């Protein structure tokens, strides 16, 4: 956001080395344990940083939502809290927005604990001083 | 052919300069409620997306001096700004819904059922169930394209397999994944691996290769079997003059097929006539053969 009190329409420009965060709610199915996805969302919300949330990557991929292409081609590392990496990568391909080979980390809320997913999502990027 | 082709509005939750933070106890609840209603949400700040892609955007925040005037310089994005100071989670959601107006969007069925008033008429409830291809495993053998009767699959310009019409897929039917010899077809909302996208073990590949030809499993060509069953049912119907009996017979006859391929009964019940099945099978087979021929020609 700009420093004025007027939001511009590109409010989320980030530094090139910033990690981008994407959270998928998997809202159309019950395959991700609700307790895990709620805890991960709460942890991200309390982390004090910007991030992207989508209701359902499957639904967006089926619509070939251009937002997925933005995410795939954006600058900087991308961390995705969703489900199986193979499925997530396939969804981006289906949306004509294949994820880059490097710089993308997919954390699996179907199988991992909320603590594990949050730790991965919020970890300092490789090579950073912090 | 998605029921709602329009981009749904994106909600931007703004807590930066000029705004006070949302109550910390409400923030995650607001996010969850918006997501469960089908909205994509951006919490503005470092770590979010680089830019927005057209469509509509609803900015919410607690603005002590009132909501600022915002205009999109590019003219590609409709922007609405709402002050949610002092509002509960439910009231905040209501503000967003009001700002959405009559713009249509897809929504999970449970949330759609809970909607009432004008909102209920502006939501679709398509469940995103469709195959996803693991391109690292797919060999473009086109067996799935030949198998599917509903035109879900197509062929891309480079003659590779493509999921062309996701919304044509029959919800909860993973049958095409059963004919893939490479375990390359995933249904991310399936309940178990490897169809859900989980790791593929050697045993999975072996199992799929063993039953790659479901027709062998059933003692003949799968569509021939369908045609035979359907013809039998039709014959009985013509003799018995009982639609209920004919339907019951059709269901009984297809039990083995449904169990073997995990095809939901409602999908089998909704199959077209034997003649139409034959026509679709031939059309799909021709498309698959053309794609394979073009690919082999291109690589020669």
């Amino acid at each position: 956001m700009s420093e004025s009190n007027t939001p511009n329409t590109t409010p989320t420009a980030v530094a090139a080395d910033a990690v981008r965060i994407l959270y998928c709610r998997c809202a159309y199915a019950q395959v991700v344990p609700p307790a895990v996805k709620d805890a991960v969302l709460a942890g991200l919300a309390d982390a004090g940083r910007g991030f992207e949330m989508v209701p359902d990557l499957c639904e967006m991929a089926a619509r070939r939502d251009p937002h997925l292409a933005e995410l795939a081609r954006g600058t900087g590392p991308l961390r995705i809290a969703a489900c199986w990496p193979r499925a997530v990568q396939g969804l981006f391909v289906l949306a004509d927005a294949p994820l880059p080979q490097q710089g993308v980390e997919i954390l699996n809320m179907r199988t991992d604990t909320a603590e594990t997913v949050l730790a991965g999502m919020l970890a300092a990027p490789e090579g950073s001083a912090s | 052919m998605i029921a709602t082709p329009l981009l749904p509005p994106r909600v931007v939750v703004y807590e930066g300069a000029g705004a006070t933070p949302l109550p910390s106890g409400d923030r995650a609840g607001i996010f969850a409620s918006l997501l469960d209603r089908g909205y994509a949400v951006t919490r503005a700040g470092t770590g979010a997306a680089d830019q927005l892609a057209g469509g509509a955007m609803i900015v919410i925040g607690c603005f002590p001096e009132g909501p600022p005037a915002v205009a999109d310089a590019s003219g590609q994005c409709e922007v609405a700004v709402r002050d949610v100071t002092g509002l509960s989670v439910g009231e905040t959601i209501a503000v967003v819904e009001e700002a959405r107006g009559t713009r249509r969007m897809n929504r999970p069925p449970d949330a759609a059922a809970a909607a009432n008033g004008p909102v209920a008429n502006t939501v679709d409830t398509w469940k995103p169930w469709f195959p996803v291809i693991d391109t690292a495993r797919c060999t473009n053998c086109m067996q799935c394209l030949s198998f599917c009767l509903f035109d879900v699959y197509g062929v891309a310009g480079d003659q590779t397999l493509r999921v062309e019409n996701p919304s044509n897929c029959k919800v909860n039917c993973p049958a095409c994944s059963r004919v893939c010899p490479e375990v390359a077809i995933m249904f991310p909302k399936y309940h178990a691996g490897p169809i859900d996208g989980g790791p593929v073990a050697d045993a999975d590949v072996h199992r799929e290769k063993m039953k790659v030809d479901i027709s062998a499993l059933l003692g003949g060509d799968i569509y021939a079997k369908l045609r035979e069953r359907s013809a039998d049912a039709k014959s009985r119907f013509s003799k018995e003059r009982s639609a209920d009996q004919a339907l019951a017979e059709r269901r009984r006859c297809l039990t083995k097929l449904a169990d073997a391929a995990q095809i939901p009964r409602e999908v089998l019940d909704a199959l077209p006539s034997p003649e139409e099945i034959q026509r679709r099978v031939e059309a799909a087979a021709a498309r698959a053969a053309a794609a394979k021929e073009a690919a082999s020609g291109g690589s020669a």
Side-chain angles (χ1 to χ4, degrees):
Chain A
M1 284 299 221
S2 62
E3 289 305 308
S4 72
N5 68 345
T6 302
N8 60 38
T9 56
T10 55
T12 55
V14 296
D17 62 347
V19 175
R20 296 169 299 139
I21 290 176
L22 171 63
Y23 166 89
C24 173
R25 181 72 173 169
C26 195
Y28 289 81
Q30 306 300 320
V31 293
V32 174
V36 174
K37 64 182 184 183
D38 284 347
V40 170
L41 180 60
L44 293 174
D46 289 343
R49 54 174 304 171
F51 66 106
E52 295 289 334
M53 296 154 266
V54 296
D56 197 293
L57 276 174
C58 293
E59 197 264 353
M60 295 179 78
R63 283 191 285 104
R64 296 189 164 88
D65 191 314
H67 187 38
L68 296 181
E70 288 173 36
L71 289 161
R73 67 169 179 251
T75 307
L78 175 63
R79 288 185 185 145
I80 302 172
C83 59
W84 291 105
R86 213 161 61 92
V88 174
Q89 287 161 349
L91 287 168
F92 275 83
V93 170
L94 190 149
D96 299 326
L99 290 167
Q101 298 285 322
Q102 304 291 326
V104 177
E105 192 176 351
I106 299 168
L107 292 111
N108 188 351
M109 292 192 290
R110 281 181 85 142
T111 57
D112 291 337
T113 65
E115 292 74 20
T116 300
V117 174
L118 271 173
M121 295 295 283
L122 298 173
E126 273 182 40
S128 70
S130 55
Chain B
M1 291 199 266
I2 305 296
T4 305
L6 285 174
L7 275 178
R10 191 193 308 192
V11 179
V12 174
V13 178
Y14 178 62
E15 297 178 279
T20 56
L22 293 172
S24 59
D26 288 349
R27 188 180 294 115
I30 290 171
F31 292 164
S33 295
L34 290 169
L35 293 166
D36 288 340
R37 285 167 174 76
Y39 291 99
V41 183
T42 298
R43 186 186 189 195
T46 302
D50 293 326
Q51 57 187 339
L52 300 169
M57 182 169 70
I58 302 166
V59 181
I60 62 172
C62 299
F63 303 107
E65 297 175 19
V70 175
D72 173 31
S74 71
Q76 295 180 335
C77 187
E78 299 170 31
V79 185
V81 185
R82 296 290 186 271
D83 183 7
V84 295
T85 303
L87 300 186
S88 67
V89 173
E91 290 166 338
T92 300
I93 303 306
V95 165
V96 172
E97 293 276 58
E98 180 275 330
R100 176 172 66 89
T102 57
R103 193 180 184 89
R104 292 198 73 82
M105 63 187 294
N106 204 38
R107 180 164 287 185
D110 288 349
N116 50 37
V119 172
N121 298 323
T122 59
V123 294
D124 299 313
T125 57
W126 176 68
K127 179 179 177 179
W129 173 277
F130 51 86
V132 177
I133 308 301
D134 182 343
T135 53
R137 301 190 69 86
C138 178
T139 59
N140 294 297
C141 71
M142 304 291 169
Q143 289 209 39
C144 50
L145 191 153
S146 300
F147 176 79
C148 178
L149 291 175
F150 304 104
D151 289 333
V152 171
Y153 294 98
V155 181
D158 61 357
Q159 305 305 323
T160 56
L161 180 72
R162 172 183 166 89
V163 176
E164 203 158 82
N165 301 304
S167 60
N168 280 8
C169 192
K170 300 302 175 189
V171 172
N172 297 332
C173 177
C176 58
S177 68
R178 299 289 178 187
V179 303
C180 178
E182 303 296 337
V183 201
I185 298 177
M186 303 172 279
F187 285 85
K189 301 210 183 302
Y190 193 66
H191 59 82
I195 293 176
D196 64 358
V200 180
D202 289 345
D204 296 319
V205 179
H206 181 67
R207 187 171 58 245
E208 297 310 313
K209 283 190 187 301
M210 288 292 285
K211 63 177 184 183
V212 56
D213 189 351
I214 284 185
S215 61
L217 189 71
L218 296 166
D221 176 85
I222 188 169
Y223 293 117
K225 187 65 68 178
L226 279 172
R227 288 194 295 277
E228 180 188 317
R229 299 297 195 196
S230 191
D232 284 350
K234 186 189 277 184
S235 170
R236 284 193 181 83
F237 174 67
S238 66
K239 291 173 188 164
E240 298 162 356
R241 301 290 177 191
S242 166
D244 288 344
Q245 274 187 307
L247 182 59
E249 175 67 8
R250 187 182 188 188
R251 284 194 172 129
R252 191 181 65 76
C253 289
L254 292 171
T255 296
K256 187 176 177 185
L257 175 62
D259 291 346
Q262 297 188 359
I263 303 172
R265 296 297 157 79
E266 52 270 29
V267 174
L268 294 176
D269 289 344
L271 282 173
S273 67
E275 294 76 18
E276 177 61 11
I277 289 177
Q278 178 67 28
R279 189 193 66 75
R280 292 190 193 183
V281 167
E282 288 170 1
R287 289 166 69 203
K292 291 181 76 172
E293 189 176 327
S296 62
S299 62

